[in-house]
Amino acid sequence: MVGCFNAGVTGLAGSRLLGPVVRRRITTATYTGRRSGRTFHTPVGYRRTGDVVTIGVQMPDRKNWWRNFTGDGAPLTLELDGTDRTGHAVARRDGRRVTVTVDLG
């Protein structure tokens, strides 16, 4: 189910008609798994202020990707404005909410 949803969102972001609108709030995050060493790509919703990107993780107890960025954090690449931007991402949990903050500077 999640794979179908992710594929649909990725398809919308790549479309000529809706892509520009979708890409204002959704992008692809690319990271290397802390334990597996594999590279993963996942669509994420984001807000950007200058060189700081904030990703709100929906239903964090059902997802694992954000755990790669707990503690001191780790590198994360985001596709922004048609280019890949790599920054340092740190995940913070506050009760039920998880926020991943990416510093692109």
Side-chain angles (χ1 to χ4, degrees):
M1 182 75 162
V2 171
C4 292
F5 178 79
N6 287 351
V9 169
T10 302
L12 280 175
S15 76
R16 288 175 46 192
L17 181 61
L18 296 175
V21 174
V22 172
R23 287 190 300 267
R24 286 186 209 150
R25 295 284 180 229
I26 296 176
T27 188
T28 300
T30 303
Y31 62 95
T32 301
R34 190 179 288 183
R35 294 187 318 186
S36 70
R38 292 178 39 210
T39 300
F40 296 93
H41 309 276
T42 187
V44 295
Y46 74 97
R47 287 175 291 148
R48 181 178 180 186
T49 305
D51 280 345
V52 176
V53 176
T54 305
I55 301 167
V57 180
Q58 303 298 318
M59 298 181 292
D61 292 330
R62 301 181 83 187
K63 299 176 184 174
N64 293 319
W65 73 267
W66 61 269
R67 291 178 173 95
N68 287 284
F69 306 101
T70 57
D72 292 335
L76 177 73
T77 301
L78 299 171
E79 184 181 327
L80 300 169
D81 303 324
T83 61
D84 287 342
R85 300 278 312 268
T86 300
H88 186 78
V90 177
R92 289 191 174 74
R93 184 170 199 144
D94 180 19
R96 291 186 183 184
R97 294 178 41 195
V98 172
T99 303
V100 177
T101 304
V102 184
D103 183 2
L104 299 171

